[in-house]
Every structure is written in structure tokens, then in C-alpha cells.
Amino acid sequence: MQFNGIHGINIAVKDLDRWTRRYEEIFGIEAKPVDESGFAFPGLRGSNFDIGGFQLNLITSVAEGTSVSRFLERRGEGVFLVSVAVQDVDVATRELRENGLAPLLDEPIRGEGHGAVNFTHPRDMAGVQLEFIEVPR
């Protein structure tokens, strides 16, 4: 599969403000807030830390029934997904299918605040959800 590298990780948290302050203290950098337009699905908000080009995102759910709210209920806070940068998410989606994986979405989502994305189910990757996101080189 053609990929540009690991883009970042998303960590699900219950108290976004608390954990944003903590990560800012530890890394010594200010987070950028991420509103709903920065996510493939509604009902989420977050904080983004650009750490030398690696994207560390804290995310929380502001609505019931989101994948993040379900994750927090079942597993508690922790790593929610690993984000993989690809040049062309349509090609990545096709290659996932060719490798026997069922992408979560039939067609990638293209949004205002993010590149085109698709995902794998955690059961297909040893409990880790992968996000494939178009990131320009």
C-alpha cells in the first residue's frame, strides 16, 4: 500500500479542557482547537498538537451515539485511532479491499476541515482503528 507515513494519533478523552491543558504543559506548545468541521463525522471536537509534523489530537464527543462516545463508554480514555497519511484515499480504499479488509465507508468522506478519509474497523487490525487521510506532500 502506498502511504506517506504515520500522520498522527487521536486520543479519546472525557474532559477535553483538562487534558488539553495537561498536554500543553508537558509539550510546552499551545493546542489548536478543532471544531466539528475538522472531523469526518459530526458530534466531535478536539485539540490538535503539531509536534514536529506529527499530529497528536485529543478528541471528545459532544453528542451521544458517536464512535468516540461508544469508545469512551466501553474502554475509557485512550488511543482511539492511528492516522496514516496517503496520497490518494480512493486508491488506499481500493487497496484495503484487495487486501481483504472492509473499509468502514463505501466511499471516502471529503470535508471542509480535513482531507478525504476512510477507516478500517479495529477488529481487522488487532484492536486498532486506522484512519487513512489524504495529506498533501
Side-chain angles (χ1 to χ4, degrees):
M1 174 172 293
Q2 294 288 336
F3 66 96
N4 299 343
I6 300 297
H7 183 61
I9 61 171
N10 287 358
I11 300 170
V13 298
K14 293 178 182 176
D15 185 338
L16 182 63
D17 294 333
R18 171 185 175 218
W19 288 111
T20 298
R21 287 190 305 275
R22 181 67 171 151
Y23 275 73
E24 286 176 335
E25 291 169 7
I26 296 301
F27 288 110
I29 57 176
E30 189 174 328
K32 292 189 311 188
V34 182
D35 64 15
E36 288 191 49
S37 71
F39 294 95
F41 300 101
L44 305 175
R45 67 183 188 95
S47 297
N48 170 262
F49 295 85
D50 185 332
I51 304 170
F54 184 84
Q55 305 304 306
L56 186 145
N57 295 293
L58 304 176
I59 57 174
T60 195
S61 183
V62 294
E64 289 186 29
T66 67
S67 57
V68 172
S69 68
R70 291 189 304 273
F71 178 91
L72 288 167
E73 288 171 14
R74 284 191 312 260
R75 297 185 174 187
E77 296 175 311
V79 174
F80 177 69
L81 66 77
V82 175
S83 182
V84 179
V86 297
Q87 255 181 300
D88 186 323
V89 76
D90 293 305
V91 170
T93 298
R94 187 187 75 241
E95 289 177 350
L96 289 171
R97 286 189 184 101
E98 289 170 357
N99 284 300
L101 299 175
L104 289 183
L105 307 171
D106 291 332
E107 295 293 325
I109 292 178
R110 289 166 166 77
E112 291 177 26
H114 60 82
V117 296
N118 208 335
F119 306 88
T120 62
H121 195 282
R123 74 174 165 263
D124 291 335
M125 296 303 293
V128 177
Q129 181 173 1
L130 296 180
E131 169 189 52
F132 293 86
I133 184 168
E134 271 184 19
V135 177
R137 283 190 169 196

